[in-house]
Amino acid sequence: MLTIERALVEKIVAHARADHPDEACGVIAGPIGSDRPVRYVAMMNAERSPTFYRFDSHEQLKVWREMDDRDEEPVVIYHSHTATEAYPSRTDISYASEPNAHYVLVSTREEDDTEFRSFRIVDGEVTEEEVAVVDAYDA
């Protein structure tokens, strides 16, 4: 199960809406082993495409180095789908390389309704998980 603060969900959705009709992408880092998304990092979709996303390699290297320096890991890796449901595509599944991450997908296909779903993707196997949105994490 993914437990995530409402403010982070709102940032992901706002980013997805702002980049529409292109896919948006980013990560939420958290302390290693905590499974707690804390630090929101919007990233650029190097493809600038409505059907595909890819982190810019230089930006990704910089962000992953920052996480290493802060003893963090990518707890959430997110992107949007602009015309389809919030479910990992074959390409999304093949590119999923962080077995401990929650892969969040947001669909912006409906103007007034936003699908927000989370998945675990390990060795090509997709498992949807429950999302608990909280106002704040317990201490």
Side-chain angles (χ1 to χ4, degrees):
M1 177 171 73
L2 169 62
T3 301
I4 186 169
E5 288 182 331
R6 185 172 319 284
L8 294 171
V9 170
E10 290 169 358
K11 286 180 180 184
I12 291 171
V13 171
H15 183 198
R17 289 280 175 207
D19 279 14
H20 187 91
D22 291 335
E23 290 191 3
C25 58
V27 300
I28 304 178
I32 292 173
S34 71
D35 200 36
R36 181 174 283 198
V38 177
R39 189 170 63 89
Y40 173 81
V41 183
M43 296 178 70
M44 181 180 71
N45 178 354
E47 298 297 323
R48 300 308 306 162
S49 166
T51 58
F52 185 69
Y53 87 97
R54 180 179 55 83
F55 294 144
D56 174 80
S57 58
H58 292 98
E59 183 182 29
Q60 183 176 7
L61 181 61
K62 178 180 171 248
V63 169
W64 260 247
R65 282 184 174 161
E66 281 177 4
M67 285 190 285
D68 284 344
D69 292 346
R70 295 170 172 243
D71 293 326
E72 294 174 332
E73 62 186 348
V75 177
V76 169
I77 297 175
Y78 75 87
H79 77 280
S80 61
H81 282 181
T82 61
T84 59
E85 72 174 316
Y87 190 86
S89 68
R90 283 191 304 266
T91 304
D92 297 338
I93 295 165
S94 70
Y95 278 36
S97 61
E98 297 285 348
N100 295 324
H102 301 270
Y103 285 88
V104 165
L105 277 100
V106 174
S107 177
T108 57
R109 66 182 169 173
E110 301 291 332
E111 210 172 301
D112 300 328
D113 185 35
T114 304
E115 262 184 279
F116 186 100
R117 298 167 72 185
S118 183
F119 304 87
R120 294 292 192 153
I121 304 173
V122 180
D123 296 329
E125 187 170 322
V126 177
T127 306
E128 186 166 7
E129 62 183 348
E130 184 180 336
V131 177
V133 179
V134 297
D135 290 326
Y137 299 125
D138 295 333

